[in-house]
Amino acid sequence: MAKLGPAGYSPYPVALYEGILTPPPGKALLFTELVDEEIAMREAAKAMFTRENPTVFPGPQVLYAWNEEAKKKAQLVRKMAEVFGARIIPMYDYRPKYPKIDPQKEINPNHPNLTIWHNNIKVCIFIGVHCHYANVALKIIRAETDCYTIALCGNAGHEDATVTLRDQHSEELEKFIRIAEEVKRELKK
Amino acid sequence: MSLKIFKINEALKEFVPSEIVDLEEKATWGNPKRGIWDLPYAKELVEEHSLCAGCPESLAFRYILASLPNPEDTIIINSTGCTSLVFPHIALHTVHSLFGNQNAIASGIKRTLEWRFPDKVKDVVVLAGDGATVDIGLECTLHSFFRQERITTICFDNEVYANTGGQESGLTVKGQIFKMAPKGKQWDKVPMWQLAIDSGCHYVARLTVSSPKRVEKVIKQAIYVAREVGPTYVHLYTPCILEIGLNSDDALEEMRGRDKERFKFFEYISEKAKEVIERKKQEGLI
Ligand SMILES: Cc1ncc(C[n+]2csc(CCOP(=O)(O)OP(=O)(O)O)c2C)c(N)n1
Ligand code: SF4
Ligand SMILES: [Mg+2]
């Protein structure tokens, strides 16, 4: 449960205070270690195949057709979820939902733990969530749940995720799907 | 704003809840003739609200949001208070400012938008309570009028600081007793609509929200005049039924009663504003 962080502002023991930073370009973050992108992708795929209730959380940047890349990414997100046999629960906007959210149908950055607890999600992928909201949501999930989080980020990544892949665009997503299919065969899933 | 941000990718559409799909398919974007008649048929820009059941502020919100001629390019600046509880539910750009600063923030946003998007119409609308507009924010409110900022200011006058539990405000009527004003108010209600006229507003209206059609007309006039001429001010009576001890279904009757006295419909239109309103009427937009 939440404790006061060292700086007194964050109620959560965030990764930054443990000295964990986002990976440099070309690298990925796996727990606290810097690794090659491919290694991180394999570990992420393994987690998606072996942990309970794998779920993909697509955010506005892939849910809405605001440019060609977004349209392509949406198809890849769908394909990725199919390969993993994962559920898709959208984070379609960031408005705080009061008086209640429907955790079966959505995840919200202000209380992502509710969706994770309700659906007993033990592994998930964040993709297309704007960085400042992904940062909020991933911190809460890290502190409040035992969910393994995989951030497929188009920018610099998120140190609060269990696995962080940075600079992920459609080409990298295609690579991730290929690796996921390989891992699936190896695991005989 | 590009309406593309409401266009959902086909590949993921089946996972998006229907109220969001409806924003793309059934909302009245891009139609300046939209109005309160769309309310029963079209997707509203406010889904639900977190105000007390029967609070007239919720009616005012529905009517105002249905009447904006250009919602896709409207930015609402709000302030702390009961009204601010509704903003998280609104499918429009809203900016929550520090209590009382709303007209200063709106001025900056309007000027920046004019500079950044010279070829586009962007309406900036301030929406705040009486405490924010007339007490703590009075300086910012009046100075935006003096400076002739091209923004519309809408005050939700519930004659009390409702959100903090019932303190008297400048707009409380003389003699009124509240939980946290036990001796009764000693001074008269501030005639804010008159201050707005004296401070340079080109269109000013005072009314209750008992008549949706009238609210629509006033809001459209205020926005069109602000776009072309200068500041406009709309003063709405949205009684706090909680603090004056009414039931959820009493609000309409309360407003109809006040329609006949201190909130009798009042409108001021400057010469320049008249010209705009006439033209918009001819164009069928009012
Ligand atoms: C700078 C600042 N001062 C004081 C407050 C406390 N405050 C919150 S809501 C409120 C009263 C709001 O009254 P009003 O503007 O009339 O809105 P209502 O709640 O009545 O709709 C006050 C004083 C605050 N949030 N910020
Ligand atoms: S306290 Fe008053 S103004 Fe606020 S939501 Fe309730 S009825 Fe409306
Ligand atoms: Mg008030």
Side-chain angles (χ1 to χ4, degrees):
Chain A
M1 278 289 148
K3 282 197 213 100
L4 257 199
Y9 292 118
S10 171
Y12 302 116
V14 299
L16 190 70
Y17 297 149
E18 291 166 19
I20 306 169
L21 301 175
T22 51
K27 287 282 182 182
L29 188 67
L30 175 62
F31 291 97
T32 56
E33 250 177 278
L34 288 180
V35 297
D36 287 338
E37 182 181 86
E38 193 160 331
I39 293 175
M41 282 184 173
R42 291 188 73 83
E43 290 303 315
K46 265 189 219 160
M48 283 295 279
F49 283 122
T50 53
R51 295 176 69 96
E52 269 175 274
N53 299 318
T55 304
V56 179
F57 297 128
Q61 295 187 91
V62 294
L63 282 173
Y64 298 101
W66 57 289
N67 64 17
E68 290 308 312
E69 170 78 357
K71 289 184 202 165
K72 199 161 168 205
K73 273 189 176 172
Q75 285 165 352
L76 291 169
V77 167
R78 175 101 197 219
K79 185 159 176 214
M80 185 195 300
E82 275 161 19
V83 171
F84 289 127
R87 199 168 156 191
I88 294 180
I89 299 182
M91 188 185 282
Y92 50 84
D93 68 19
Y94 306 134
R95 292 178 284 173
K97 301 294 148 58
Y98 301 113
K100 67 176 181 108
I101 70 159
D102 183 348
Q104 300 253 36
K105 287 200 192 133
E106 69 165 308
I107 177 161
N108 184 280
N110 307 289
H111 14 57
N113 46 328
L114 299 183
T115 298
I116 292 191
W117 286 337
H118 182 88
N119 299 295
N120 191 30
I121 295 167
K122 298 293 183 193
V123 58
C124 69
I125 292 176
F126 266 71
I127 182 162
V129 177
H130 290 85
C131 287
H132 47 305
Y133 282 105
N135 274 338
V136 171
L138 286 164
K139 280 180 177 56
I140 297 174
I141 296 172
R142 184 178 190 270
E144 303 275 358
T145 78
D146 58 356
C147 184
Y148 187 110
T149 52
I150 300 159
L152 299 183
C153 178
N155 296 304
H158 298 278
E159 71 278 6
D160 286 296
T162 318
V163 180
T164 287
L165 287 150
R166 60 173 291 166
D167 300 313
Q168 299 294 298
H169 306 292
S170 39
E171 214 175 290
E172 288 75 18
L173 294 185
E174 279 163 0
K175 177 175 162 191
F176 183 45
I177 292 170
R178 266 198 319 277
I179 288 177
E181 282 165 338
E182 271 171 42
V183 172
K184 188 175 186 175
R185 278 192 296 277
E186 287 165 22
L187 293 173
K188 299 197 170 55
K189 282 276 175 177
Chain B
M1 183 181 102
S2 164
L3 287 179
K4 279 187 192 157
I5 72 163
F6 283 119
K7 199 167 161 35
I8 300 161
N9 269 317
E10 284 305 322
L12 296 173
K13 203 164 191 167
E14 70 183 89
F15 304 102
V16 177
S18 56
E19 70 261 27
I20 300 300
V21 177
D22 285 350
L23 270 179
E24 178 190 346
E25 294 177 353
K26 295 193 192 139
T28 49
W29 308 111
N31 170 20
K33 292 192 177 170
R34 62 196 293 281
I36 51 115
W37 295 117
D38 297 322
L39 281 176
Y41 309 108
K43 164 72 186 169
E44 289 185 52
L45 303 185
V46 50
E47 185 75 22
E48 49 188 27
H49 64 78
S50 33
L51 302 168
C52 299
C55 173
E57 286 192 353
S58 66
L59 296 178
F61 265 110
R62 285 192 196 293
Y63 305 157
I64 292 169
L65 292 177
S67 308
L68 298 172
N70 187 23
E72 57 276 20
D73 282 302
T74 300
I75 294 92
I76 298 188
I77 318 301
N78 75 291
S79 196
T80 317
C82 285
T83 51
S84 60
L85 301 177
V86 179
F87 288 94
H89 303 284
I90 291 180
L92 286 189
H93 291 295
T94 66
V95 176
H96 184 98
S97 66
L98 181 69
F99 192 73
N101 280 5
Q102 57 280 353
N103 280 54
I105 306 279
S107 306
I109 289 177
K110 176 69 185 180
R111 291 187 194 190
T112 310
L113 290 172
E114 279 182 347
W115 170 77
R116 174 71 180 76
F117 301 99
D119 307 326
K120 240 182 163 186
V121 174
K122 300 263 184 187
D123 296 318
V124 175
V125 178
V126 175
L127 221 160
D130 49 313
T133 309
V134 182
D135 286 343
I136 302 177
L138 185 64
E139 182 187 346
C140 291
T141 310
L142 291 186
H143 274 276
S144 75
F145 299 163
F146 298 149
R147 290 193 308 268
Q148 293 288 294
E149 303 289 352
R150 296 206 279 174
I151 56 179
T152 298
T153 304
I154 304 173
C155 174
F156 277 23
D157 179 8
N158 53 10
E159 306 191 315
V160 63
Y161 285 67
N163 198 231
T164 37
Q167 297 82 10
E168 70 176 42
S169 85
L171 289 182
T172 303
V173 290
K174 194 170 177 176
Q176 175 72 44
I177 290 172
F178 283 124
K179 288 202 292 284
M180 284 182 252
K183 283 168 66 185
K185 191 176 173 198
Q186 314 277 307
W187 302 279
D188 284 328
K189 182 178 174 79
V190 174
M192 186 58 206
W193 46 91
Q194 190 57 47
L195 293 185
I197 297 170
D198 295 344
S199 310
C201 282
H202 291 269
Y203 177 81
V204 175
R206 179 195 64 200
L207 63 159
T208 76
V209 297
S210 65
S211 160
K213 262 183 84 175
R214 185 183 279 165
V215 175
E216 173 181 345
K217 189 163 170 242
V218 162
I219 295 299
K220 286 186 172 169
Q221 295 185 157
I223 287 178
Y224 285 131
V225 171
R227 248 188 222 176
E228 294 189 36
V229 187
T232 57
Y233 178 72
V234 177
H235 193 104
L236 297 176
Y237 180 49
T238 53
C240 173
I241 49 175
L242 187 86
E243 293 300 340
I244 57 177
L246 296 179
N247 290 325
S248 297
D249 53 358
D250 288 341
L252 196 56
E253 208 179 311
E254 161 67 18
M255 290 190 290
R256 284 187 178 144
R258 304 304 163 212
D259 276 336
K260 298 188 194 91
E261 29 149 292
R262 66 177 185 277
F263 283 96
K264 193 170 166 39
F265 181 60
F266 165 83
E267 207 176 32
Y268 163 82
I269 311 177
S270 76
E271 285 307 316
K272 284 187 192 158
K274 269 186 200 143
E275 192 273 315
V276 174
I277 291 173
E278 267 323 301
R279 177 160 31 85
K280 292 293 174 190
K281 276 187 182 156
Q282 277 160 22
E283 291 170 12
L285 293 175
I286 296 176

